[in-house]
Amino acid sequence: HVQLVESGGGSVQAGGSLRLSCAASGYDLSYCMGWFRQAPGKEREGVAAVASDGSTFYADSVKGRFTISKDNANLYLQLNSLKPEDTAMYYCAANRRGFWYLWNSAMSNYWGQGTQVTVS
C-alpha cells in the first residue's frame, strides 16, 4: 500500500523560496510521481512530474521556477521566485501506470494529505 506524506509548506513573501518534501513508502521505482496544487475555488492542477526513467515535466506556469527531484524514498519540489498566485494546497501523487495516468486520471493516483503554501 502506497503512502505519501508531504511536508515543507509555509508562508513566504513573494520572491521567496520553499522546498516541499514527500516521504513515500510502499511504492517502487517504476512509479511516476508528481506534485499537484489546488487553490481555493479552483480546480486541482498538475505542477510537475518525474517519470520512472527520471524525465521531468512542468506546467508552463512554473517552468524555470520550480524543480522536481526524487531519491529512493522521497519526492521533492523546490519552489523559487514564488508569486502570490502560487498560493495553494500542494499534493504529492504517485501512479504506477505512468505519466499520462498521473496527469489525467486523478482517481487512479495515490495521494498525500497536502501541505499549504501561502505567498503574500
Side-chain angles (χ1 to χ4, degrees):
H1 180 64
V2 176
Q3 291 188 311
L4 306 169
V5 181
E6 301 94 334
S7 62
S11 296
V12 297
Q13 293 187 335
S17 297
L18 284 172
R19 190 188 194 211
L20 307 184
S21 298
C22 173
S25 61
Y27 81 114
D28 60 55
L29 296 180
S30 68
Y31 278 70
C32 185
M33 302 188 72
W35 289 94
F36 292 74
R37 66 186 181 186
Q38 187 167 19
K42 295 188 177 181
E43 293 188 354
R44 181 170 50 201
E45 63 176 354
V47 175
V50 55
S52 57
D53 64 0
S55 57
T56 57
F57 178 83
Y58 295 93
D60 287 342
S61 59
V62 306
K63 280 181 182 177
R65 300 189 298 121
F66 292 7
T67 303
I68 191 170
S69 61
K70 67 176 182 177
D71 57 29
N72 284 344
N74 297 282
L75 181 71
Y76 304 99
L77 187 68
Q78 179 67 40
L79 293 71
N80 295 330
S81 303
L82 282 161
K83 304 175 182 180
E85 52 263 45
D86 294 318
T87 295
M89 185 72 79
Y90 283 70
Y91 298 91
C92 173
N95 197 310
R96 71 186 311 165
R97 301 177 74 178
F99 174 78
W100 190 94
Y101 285 92
L102 179 78
W103 212 251
N104 298 288
S105 179
M107 292 293 289
S108 67
N109 288 346
Y110 292 98
W111 295 96
Q113 84 289 348
T115 187
Q116 178 69 38
V117 172
T118 303
V119 185
S120 59

